[in-house]
Amino acid sequence: MIGLIFKVFGVSLLLSLGIKYGGPLLSISPTLTNVLLAIWLPSVTLAIVLGWRWRRSNALSNQSL
């Protein structure tokens, strides 16, 4: 369990440093489309992944019956 915590911490640290130092190098214009993508894309991606995992777990549990 401690290994998982260190992995999550490491990925979080790399992502944070990437945003801090690499973010200013990207030239993203502040348009409405970019703002909406930045707000909705993480939520929609997570919903798709969780829905896929839920359907997969249901299919596996139905096979064992």
Side-chain angles (χ1 to χ4, degrees):
M1 188 61 156
I2 229 45
L4 177 66
I5 293 172
F6 282 126
K7 286 179 188 178
V8 170
F9 179 74
V11 170
S12 176
L13 179 67
L14 290 175
L15 184 61
S16 176
L17 291 173
I19 290 171
K20 182 176 182 178
Y21 295 112
L25 300 175
L26 298 173
S27 61
I28 300 174
S29 58
T31 63
L32 179 62
T33 304
N34 290 339
V35 170
L36 291 176
L37 280 173
I39 292 171
W40 286 102
L41 190 61
S43 299
V44 170
T45 303
L46 186 61
I48 290 170
V49 169
L50 290 176
W52 174 71
R53 288 185 62 182
W54 176 73
R55 288 185 60 166
R56 186 173 168 210
S57 70
N58 280 346
L60 291 175
S61 67
N62 288 339
Q63 286 179 354
S64 66
L65 293 177

